[in-house]
Amino acid sequence: MTSECTPRFLASDNTSGICPEAMEYLLEANQADDLAYGNDRWTERAANRFREMFDYNCDVFFVFNGTAANSLALSAMGRSYHSVICHELAHIETDECGGPEFFSNGAKLLTSPGANGKLTPEGIEALVTRRSDIHYPKPKVVSLTQATEVGTVYTREELLAIRAIADKHDLRLHMDGARFANACASLNATPAELTWQVGVDALCFSGTKNGLAMGEAILFFNRDLAEDFSYRCKQAGQLASKMRYISAPWLGLLESGAWLTNAQHANAMASYLSEGLQALPGVSLMFPTQANSVFVELPAHTINALKAKGWTFYTFIGAGGARFVCAWNTTVELLDLLIADIKVALENSR
């Protein structure tokens, strides 16, 4: 096997295919006609399965993608004159094309720095107490990304501390769970332990990064916030007429347990890659590897050499920074090829 083999996709877990469990349920749902607009048996089963998994009678909605999930959930958690506190690297700040502001009719994002991509109670309070006059958008929501944009995870203790500061200032708590499954796997925690049990009001749970072709689930633990939410989804073009093709694959993940085993595998592959890269001279981690993403500093010539060989990865985190993301189907063989190519590139530069 040579370094020119394909695939060499490690830019994102979005590049992975559909996992077998999701595909099985998708094909099964295609065997017969069913009701439209979420009134089918698959959507009902998937919603109930979420409630069982979280041990909570939450309201569940399915949408196409993460931008819609975050933007619509946040629009339901505040008003146009409110603000949402998030980390300066949060996806809703850097990569949603203004979606949260658009769907909330103008609510402002207030950003805070924080080590390893995490918000802190002190950072949140600094933004809340900065001003109290009518000219300042009133803070109403805290949005956390779990796992974070830099591949770290909030512990239960950190989440409880943030909930405490949120309670102090009457703030609601939103969780962007683009890689929520990976956080559960990393912390060996149940979904309940990382959401409603630590005071999360709403979770956007990604299926796309966990083995689905598309589809995100929005779970409201504070059910008052879900009032008329189905109308928000319809107005935003997120009500699928053939909803069963989004919800049935979700059911495949939930009923088989693949939502967790997929995440465990992706995390294990990231850990393997992280250890292999740290063994190479001239390579250093930018952030701890706690989920399925590995951030490393590489010389510019090494980055160029990898791209010339067809490796896909992101370099949006600054000069010399590279992000590699593992998925449910990442193999040790693929990672060994990457490590070998990096080693050769480093040796050729000496």
Side-chain angles (χ1 to χ4, degrees):
M1 202 172 195
T2 69
S3 59
E4 283 72 28
C5 73
T6 55
R8 292 183 292 276
F9 297 111
L10 287 168
S12 173
D13 32 15
N14 287 329
T15 61
S16 63
I18 305 174
C19 71
E21 295 84 356
M23 183 65 80
E24 177 185 348
Y25 276 65
L26 178 63
L27 294 175
E28 187 177 344
N30 196 46
Q31 294 301 307
D33 292 354
D34 212 323
L35 295 173
Y37 301 112
N39 296 308
D40 59 279
R41 61 191 177 94
W42 297 96
T43 300
E44 181 181 11
R45 280 175 60 189
N48 286 334
R49 189 64 184 85
F50 269 116
R51 296 181 185 109
E52 293 172 11
M53 188 171 82
F54 281 82
D55 193 26
Y56 198 93
N57 187 27
C58 51
D59 283 334
V60 183
F61 301 87
F62 297 98
V63 296
F64 290 104
N65 58 37
T67 296
N70 285 328
S71 300
L72 291 175
L74 289 170
S75 74
M77 299 180 77
R79 298 184 181 276
S80 60
Y81 52 82
H82 286 149
S83 56
V84 177
I85 294 172
C86 63
H87 193 275
E88 61 185 358
L89 298 179
H91 208 74
I92 60 171
E93 163 67 11
T94 64
D95 291 281
E96 306 284 32
C97 194
E101 296 94 329
F102 177 81
F103 283 102
S104 64
N105 290 314
K108 184 174 178 58
L109 301 183
L110 300 178
T111 65
S112 172
N116 293 325
K118 298 181 186 180
L119 277 177
T120 64
E122 296 77 17
I124 294 168
E125 188 157 51
L127 289 172
V128 174
T129 59
R130 176 185 291 174
R131 287 167 58 182
S132 60
D133 59 273
I134 201 168
H135 304 287
Y136 188 66
K138 183 179 181 180
K140 192 61 178 178
V141 184
V142 174
S143 179
L144 305 175
T145 310
Q146 176 77 312
T148 73
E149 298 295 339
V150 296
T152 56
V153 297
Y154 288 94
T155 65
R156 274 179 51 84
E157 292 71 25
E158 289 171 325
L159 294 172
L160 287 167
I162 288 173
R163 180 70 257 181
I165 202 69
D167 287 339
K168 178 180 177 181
H169 296 289
D170 190 28
L171 304 174
R172 292 160 177 167
L173 191 55
H174 163 263
M175 180 172 283
D176 176 352
R179 296 182 175 91
F180 178 74
N182 301 93
C184 290
S186 175
L187 294 168
N188 194 28
T190 67
E193 289 173 331
L194 296 184
T195 53
W196 64 267
Q197 290 185 6
V198 291
V200 172
D201 291 301
L203 166 71
C204 297
F205 192 162
S206 174
T208 308
K209 293 177 170 58
N210 194 223
L212 301 189
M214 60 180 172
E216 317 293 298
I218 306 170
L219 281 63
F220 284 99
F221 306 104
N222 181 344
R223 299 183 66 186
D224 290 341
L225 299 175
E227 182 180 0
D228 289 339
F229 192 76
S230 57
Y231 288 87
R232 291 183 185 272
C233 293
K234 172 62 178 179
Q235 188 179 63
Q238 292 294 316
L239 177 62
S241 55
K242 297 184 179 181
M243 184 69 80
R244 67 188 185 276
Y245 293 115
I246 292 179
S247 57
W250 258 118
L251 198 59
L253 292 186
L254 302 180
E255 290 196 341
S256 69
W259 74 272
L260 182 58
T261 56
N262 283 350
Q264 289 170 334
H265 174 81
N267 288 5
M269 291 296 96
S271 193
Y272 179 88
L273 176 60
S274 180
E275 292 173 6
L277 292 178
Q278 288 181 80
L280 301 178
V283 179
S284 59
L285 289 184
M286 300 178 68
F287 306 100
T289 302
Q290 296 178 345
N292 64 320
S293 302
V294 181
F295 292 78
V296 292
E297 291 182 353
L298 295 173
H301 58 77
T302 301
I303 288 176
N304 292 334
L306 292 177
K307 289 184 175 179
K309 285 181 172 288
W311 291 101
T312 68
F313 55 95
Y314 284 124
T315 55
F316 52 73
I317 48 233
R323 185 192 81 167
F324 300 97
V325 182
C326 299
W328 68 269
N329 60 346
T330 302
T331 64
V332 168
E333 291 76 15
L334 180 69
L335 300 181
D336 283 342
L337 287 173
L338 174 63
I339 294 169
D341 279 352
I342 292 176
K343 182 179 180 180
V344 169
L346 289 170
E347 290 173 347
N348 289 341
S349 66
R350 294 175 186 170

